[in-house]
Amino acid sequence: MKKYNQWRVIICVDESGSMLDSVIHSAIMAGIFARLPMLDTKLVIFDTNVVDLSGYVDDPVETLMSVQLGGGTNIAGALSYCEGLIDFPFRTMVVLVTDLYEGGGYQRLYSTARGIIESGARLVVLTALDMDANPNYDRNAAAALADMGAFVGAMTPEELAGWMGKIIV
């Protein structure tokens, strides 16, 4: 199937130890994006390291459920890697799934996020949910990113489609 007006969606999933309760929600959200025909989907996971799993994006649920990194968190490093995957900023969405608890310093996170937003790409932050689907994330970091122009939301996969429809227009 030919993909018209294709968007690139870079799904960047935090796989650090603090995200253990969110892995199921993260996998489902990645699966939703990967199945949309108008999207060129990339899949990146991270803790203190960054792993590009774009070659396995056909089944992100299986991929994310089978790969567990654990360890610390370097969100800025992951976003920096994702920034390198942006070809056409005005047709790119970076979807960061994280609890926003940055291990490498918040200033670098904010600087990298600002660079993505100022390029014209959309930065979407889907905050972590615990096993009972309750939001669990650094609210100060979420507010700072939202103030920069990032789209920040805490939601279940069921709520995702409607919210994304408002962002992508």
Side-chain angles (χ1 to χ4, degrees), residues 10-39:
I10 304 163
I11 304 167
C12 185
V13 181
D14 183 343
E15 291 270 318
S16 65
S18 64
M19 288 291 292
L20 189 59
D21 286 348
S22 288
V23 72
I24 293 169
H25 292 292
S26 300
I28 292 168
M29 288 187 195
I32 290 168
F33 286 108
R35 299 254 187 287
L36 297 174
M38 75 292 275
L39 301 179

Side-chain angles (χ1 to χ4, degrees), residues 112-123:
T112 307
R114 186 174 289 109
I116 290 171
I117 294 164
E118 289 177 355
S119 77
R122 290 175 175 92
L123 177 60

Side-chain angles (χ1 to χ4, degrees), residues 139-162:
R139 282 158 172 73
N140 292 329
L145 291 168
D147 287 347
M148 278 179 224
F151 299 90
V152 180
M155 68 197 65
T156 63
E158 293 81 21
E159 300 166 301
L160 182 63

Side-chain angles (χ1 to χ4, degrees), residues 59-78:
D59 193 353
V61 176
E62 175 68 28
T63 300
L64 289 173
M65 296 303 287
S66 64
V67 177
Q68 281 298 303
L69 297 177
T73 309
N74 183 353
I75 302 168

Side-chain angles (χ1 to χ4, degrees), residues 72-128:
T73 309
N74 183 353
I75 302 168
L79 283 180
S80 181
Y81 180 85
C82 292
E83 195 171 22
L85 298 176
I86 297 172
D87 291 331
F88 302 101
F90 292 98
R91 308 275 316 150
T92 300
M93 187 179 314
V94 177
V95 179
L96 175 64
V97 182
T98 183
D99 57 13
L100 291 172
Y101 292 111
E102 175 62 289
Y106 286 89
Q107 290 314 311
R108 185 164 166 250
L109 165 61
Y110 298 150
S111 175
T112 307
R114 186 174 289 109
I116 290 171
I117 294 164
E118 289 177 355
S119 77
R122 290 175 175 92
L123 177 60
V124 178
V125 181
L126 298 175
T127 61

